[in-house]
Amino acid sequence: LRRHGKAKRHQGRRLFEELKLILAEENPLDAIGRMDDFGLLTLIWPERKLNENFAELLTQVHSVLAWHRLLYLTDPCRGWLVYIMAALAPASAKEMHAFAERFSLPPKIKKELLQQKFLADKKGNSLAGRKTKQPSLIHRELKNLSEEGLLYLMATTKKEHVRQAVSLFVTSLRKVTAATNGHELKKMGYKEGPLFQKILQAVLEARLDGKVHTKAEETAYITKTFPLHSKKKK
């Protein structure tokens, strides 16, 4: 039994590596179609069939990845992981774990796959219900998603304003930084602690929303929003 279990894990890992190679191609759609013709797709994704909706989803992933490549960003992106996340878009946590078990996924990839897939779903639902274009809110919702999580969300969302939000974050918002740092807060008289992060986050969001544009404006914003109370004892 132990030998059989080891062989099964090895077979799962080998199949996963082959699947990665297929999905890492610039356009894996034809290869996926051939897998379906030979009845191999259900061996990989028993819960999925290559129907019109699934084919449309895969095409959308291909389009999003092509868009991302044209941005010539330095952030690496594993296209094969985006395809897998998209293929498992309707999967429950139980089905996701079954997929990881079937392919004997390395713990790191399994953790990332589950965390990013469900986090992206959660953030997508949150943005879908808000219909906001406020940069600070978009940044707050998307900042913890990986490159693959962002592109998975962009490919699977049905809401155009969510797709636009992800595009804005990838191309612009995540590059925004505040000029003020913790060292300068100390020089201003603020004591290190939980308030530091609150102030720095508030300044970044003020930058994102165009409320401040320079370091001097950041300083004025901080002193007004978070005034120092230094009353001397009599």
Side-chain angles (χ1 to χ4, degrees), residues 156-217:
T156 56
T157 183
K158 303 293 186 194
K159 303 293 185 179
E160 183 61 27
H161 72 275
V162 175
R163 193 173 294 112
Q164 290 174 352
V166 176
S167 175
L168 181 63
F169 179 80
V170 169
T171 58
S172 176
L173 298 184
R174 64 178 174 179
K175 300 174 186 176
V176 177
T177 57
T180 306
N181 56 35
H183 178 68
E184 284 159 340
L185 287 181
K186 287 181 182 179
K187 287 167 62 176
M188 291 168 65
Y190 294 92
K191 293 184 178 180
E192 192 171 357
L195 182 61
F196 258 42
Q197 277 305 113
K198 187 176 180 180
I199 294 175
L200 293 175
Q201 181 64 28
V203 173
L204 174 59
E205 294 189 357
R207 274 269 187 181
L208 287 162
D209 292 337
K211 295 177 180 177
V212 297
H213 303 88
T214 65
K215 187 174 180 180
E217 289 178 352

Side-chain angles (χ1 to χ4, degrees), residues 128-147:
R130 292 176 183 261
K131 291 189 177 181
T132 182
K133 293 185 179 180
Q134 188 178 7
S136 61
L137 177 59
I138 293 172
H139 187 279
R140 199 181 313 143
E141 291 285 2
L142 300 179
K143 65 181 180 179
N144 292 322
L145 285 176
S146 66
E147 207 73 10

Side-chain angles (χ1 to χ4, degrees), residues 5-6 28 42 77 81 102 119-121 127 131 152 167 180 216:
K6 187 175 181 180
T42 54
C77 177
L81 185 54
R102 187 158 60 249
L119 181 60
D121 289 342
L127 285 172
K131 291 189 177 181
Y152 158 74
S167 175
T180 306

Side-chain angles (χ1 to χ4, degrees), residues 16-231:
F16 178 64
E17 290 303 320
E18 291 175 2
L19 179 61
K20 279 172 59 178
L21 288 175
I22 292 172
L23 298 180
E25 293 178 9
E26 187 172 335
N27 189 353
L29 303 184
D30 288 341
I32 293 172
R34 289 195 297 273
M35 289 169 64
D36 186 56
D37 292 338
F38 287 104
L40 297 175
L41 198 58
T42 54
L43 295 177
I44 297 171
W45 292 304
E47 303 85 3
R48 276 295 207 178
K49 293 182 180 178
L50 192 58
N51 53 27
E52 186 177 344
N53 289 337
F54 189 22
E56 184 180 342
L57 174 60
L58 294 175
T59 301
Q60 185 64 26
V61 173
H62 176 256
S63 297
V64 166
L65 290 173
W67 167 81
H68 187 265
R69 281 194 296 272
L70 288 175
L71 296 176
Y72 296 103
L73 301 173
T74 56
D75 305 279
C77 177
R78 292 159 293 175
W80 59 265
L81 185 54
V82 182
Y83 275 108
I84 289 176
M85 291 170 71
L88 295 169
S92 64
K94 183 178 179 180
E95 290 168 333
M96 295 282 287
H97 281 284
F99 175 87
E101 180 69 21
R102 187 158 60 249
F103 287 98
S104 300
L105 296 189
K108 185 178 179 181
I109 291 180
K110 177 183 176 181
K111 181 180 179 180
E112 185 176 5
L113 175 63
L114 269 68
Q115 282 186 344
Q116 287 296 313
K117 191 267 184 190
F118 289 119
L119 181 60
D121 289 342
K122 179 181 177 182
K123 297 303 182 180
N125 289 334
S126 178
L127 285 172
R130 292 176 183 261
K131 291 189 177 181
T132 182
K133 293 185 179 180
Q134 188 178 7
S136 61
L137 177 59
I138 293 172
H139 187 279
R140 199 181 313 143
E141 291 285 2
L142 300 179
K143 65 181 180 179
N144 292 322
L145 285 176
S146 66
E147 207 73 10
E148 292 80 13
L150 289 165
L151 297 184
Y152 158 74
L153 173 55
M154 196 175 189
T156 56
T157 183
K158 303 293 186 194
K159 303 293 185 179
E160 183 61 27
H161 72 275
V162 175
R163 193 173 294 112
Q164 290 174 352
V166 176
S167 175
L168 181 63
F169 179 80
V170 169
T171 58
S172 176
L173 298 184
R174 64 178 174 179
K175 300 174 186 176
V176 177
T177 57
T180 306
N181 56 35
H183 178 68
E184 284 159 340
L185 287 181
K186 287 181 182 179
K187 287 167 62 176
M188 291 168 65
Y190 294 92
K191 293 184 178 180
E192 192 171 357
L195 182 61
F196 258 42
Q197 277 305 113
K198 187 176 180 180
I199 294 175
L200 293 175
Q201 181 64 28
V203 173
L204 174 59
E205 294 189 357
R207 274 269 187 181
L208 287 162
D209 292 337
K211 295 177 180 177
V212 297
H213 303 88
T214 65
K215 187 174 180 180
E217 289 178 352
E218 285 184 8
T219 301
Y221 174 82
I222 292 169
T223 54
K224 181 180 179 181
T225 310
F226 302 93
L228 283 167
H229 300 290
S230 55
K231 294 180 181 179

